[in-house]
C-alpha cells in the first residue's frame, strides 16, 4: 500500500476538445504534474516509434523530466510518476476509456483518489479541427467518430469509480479563473492564480496538441521542436499570451460539412452547442 496520498486526475472526452490546454492549466496546482497523454508512456524511448509518440513533445528524446523513467507495468503508473517527480497530483489527458478504467482501478487498489474530468466542446468545432488537420479524411466518418467518443465518454462517466466533473471547453476558455477555481475545488486542491499563466511553466507532455504546446513552450528551451500544423501556423504565431476561445470553425467549416453535421449530430450536439 502506498504511504503518501496521491490523486490521479484523468481527462476523458473526444480529442480536439482542449484537453492539452486543460492539462496545462491544472499543472499549476501545488504539487501537480501534467504528463500529457499518459498512454504514450508505453512508447517512451522506443526508437521504432516516431519522435512525437516516443518522447516529450517539447524536449524530444533528451528530456530532463522523462529521462530515466521506465514504467514498470506491474506498478501503478501514477504512483511511479509521483515517486519519480515528487508530485502528489498526476494529470493525464489520455481520453481513451479503456486506459482510464485501468488507471482508475490501479489508483483505487493503491488506496489513492481518482478524479475524472469529461471535457466536451461544440462538436462542430471538434470536427472542423480534425478536418483542418486531416483534410483528406471523410467528413461523415469524422462526425461519426466524434459521436461515438461522446457516447463512450458518457458511459465511462456513469461507471467511473470516483468523482466526475463535466466541463465545456468554452467555459474554460471564456471564464478561465472561475473555472480554474471550480477545478481546484473538485480535485481537492487550492486555487492558485498561476494556474492560468501556464506558459510561464515548463511542460514535458507526451502527445497532445501542437498548437497549444507551441503557445506554452514559446519561452521554454527546445521550443523550436513544436510547430503548429501548416493550416494553424498563422493563428498560433499571432496568438497573444492568454487563454482565448478558439472559434475558427465559424469561418472555416464548409457549408456542406455543417449541413451534414446538423443532419447526423445536431441532436447530440444540442447540449454542447456554443452560440448560434
Ligand atoms: Zn521534456
Amino acid at each position: 500500500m502506498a504511504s503518501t496520498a496521491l490523486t490521479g486526475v484523468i481527462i476523458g472526452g473526444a480529442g480536439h476538445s482542449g484537453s492539452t490546454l486543460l492539462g496545462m492549466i491544472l499543472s499549476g496546482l501545488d504539487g501537480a504534474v501534467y504528463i500529457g497523454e499518459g498512454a504514450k508512456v508505453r512508447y517512451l524511448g522506443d526508437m521504432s516509434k516516431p519522435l512525437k509518440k516516443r518522447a516529450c513533445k517539447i524536449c524530444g528524446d533528451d528530456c530532463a523530466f522523462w529521462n530515466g523513467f521506465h514504467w514498470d507495468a506491474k506498478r501503478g503508473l501514477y504512483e511511479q510518476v509521483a515517486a519519480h517527480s515528487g508530485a502528489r497530483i498526476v494529470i493525464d489527458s489520455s481520453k481513451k476509456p479503456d486506459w482510464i478504467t485501468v488507471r482508475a482501478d490501479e489508483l483505487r487498489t493503491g488506496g489513492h483518489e481518482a478524479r475524472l474530468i469529461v471535457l466536451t466542446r461544440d462538436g462542430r468545432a471538434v470536427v472542423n479541427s480534425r478536418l483542418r488537420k486531416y483534410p483528406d479524411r471523410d467528413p461523415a466518418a469524422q462526425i461519426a467518430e466524434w459521436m461515438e467518443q461522446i457516447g463512450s465518454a458518457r458511459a465511462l462517466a456513469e461507471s467511473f469509480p470516483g468523482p466526475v466533473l463535466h466541463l465545456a471547453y468554452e467555459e474554460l476558455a471564456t471564464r478561465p479563473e472561475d473555472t480554474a477555481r471550480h477545478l481546484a475545488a473538485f480535485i481537492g486542491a487550492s486555487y492558485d492564480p498561476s494556474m492560468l499563466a501556464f506558459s510561464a511553466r515548463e511542460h514535458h507532455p507526451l502527445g497532445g496538441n501542437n498548437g497549444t504546446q507551441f503557445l506554452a513552450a514559446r519561452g521554454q528551451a527546445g521550443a523550436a521542436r513544436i510547430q503548429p500544423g501548416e493550416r494553424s501556423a498563422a493563428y498560433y504565431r499571432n496568438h497573444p499570451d492568454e487563454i482565448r476561445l478558439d472559434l475558427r470553425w465559424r469561418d472555416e467549416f464548409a457549408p456542406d460539412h455543417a449541413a451534414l453535421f446538423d443532419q447526423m449530430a445536431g441532436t447530440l450536439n444540442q447540449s454542447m452547442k456554443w452560440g448560434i
Side-chain angles (χ1 to χ4, degrees):
M1 286 293 138
S3 52
T4 21
L6 164 67
T7 302
V9 180
I10 321 175
I11 303 171
H16 293 271
S17 298
S19 62
T20 297
L21 174 67
L22 174 58
M24 287 184 168
I25 290 172
L26 293 177
S27 74
L29 290 167
D30 186 35
V33 64
Y34 169 51
I35 61 174
E37 295 172 352
K40 293 203 168 58
V41 83
R42 296 170 291 183
Y43 311 133
L44 259 181
D46 178 348
M47 300 308 272
S48 70
K49 296 282 187 282
L51 190 62
K52 65 177 183 182
K53 274 199 170 177
R54 68 165 192 254
C56 169
K57 286 279 298 289
I58 292 167
C59 311
D61 287 318
D62 187 18
C63 168
F65 183 84
W66 290 110
N67 277 354
F69 185 87
H70 299 287
W71 181 31
D72 169 3
K74 292 197 255 349
R75 284 176 60 198
L77 172 62
Y78 305 150
E79 231 175 63
Q80 218 179 310
V81 168
H84 177 75
S85 63
R88 316 176 260 109
I89 302 171
V90 177
I91 299 141
D92 179 352
S93 59
S94 285
K95 298 179 288 290
K96 289 252 183 349
D98 293 353
W99 173 265
I100 294 175
T101 301
V102 176
R103 300 284 81 76
D105 286 348
E106 216 169 63
L107 283 165
R108 266 209 322 182
T109 307
H112 304 297
E113 298 288 321
R115 300 276 186 279
L116 174 67
I117 300 170
V118 176
L119 183 65
T120 56
R121 183 182 185 186
D122 190 321
R124 298 169 295 183
V126 175
V127 171
N128 182 67
S129 280
R130 293 180 185 181
L131 292 173
R132 180 197 303 120
K133 191 169 175 187
Y134 308 110
D136 298 332
R137 293 196 184 169
D138 175 40
Q142 295 303 305
I143 296 166
E145 189 178 285
W146 173 76
M147 295 173 75
E148 197 242 293
Q149 288 167 342
I150 294 299
S152 306
R154 285 178 175 172
L156 173 70
E158 292 282 312
S159 64
F160 191 76
V164 178
L165 178 78
H166 293 268
L167 174 67
Y169 155 75
E170 292 87 352
E171 283 289 329
L172 177 66
T174 55
R175 300 192 310 124
E177 184 179 334
D178 287 349
T179 308
R181 284 181 188 278
H182 188 51
L183 285 162
F186 170 70
I187 292 166
S190 299
Y191 168 74
D192 186 324
S194 73
M195 289 171 78
L196 305 181
F198 65 87
S199 62
R201 283 188 291 283
E202 274 196 18
H203 299 275
H204 300 283
L206 303 174
N209 183 271
N210 276 20
T212 308
Q213 288 168 349
F214 170 79
L215 295 181
R218 280 192 282 200
Q220 187 173 338
R225 191 181 308 280
I226 296 282
Q227 292 301 326
E230 193 187 328
R231 290 156 187 263
S232 284
Y235 175 79
Y236 284 107
R237 292 218 170 84
N238 297 320
H239 200 291
D241 190 14
E242 63 184 31
I243 296 164
R244 182 178 267 199
L245 179 63
D246 178 357
L247 286 175
R248 281 177 288 164
W249 74 271
R250 287 188 175 170
D251 298 322
E252 295 177 0
F253 212 20
D256 53 335
H257 294 165
L260 182 65
F261 181 90
D262 277 344
Q263 188 198 328
M264 289 176 67
T267 307
L268 180 66
N269 195 44
Q270 208 55 44
S271 63
M272 288 169 272
K273 222 170 157 181
W274 185 261
I276 47 158

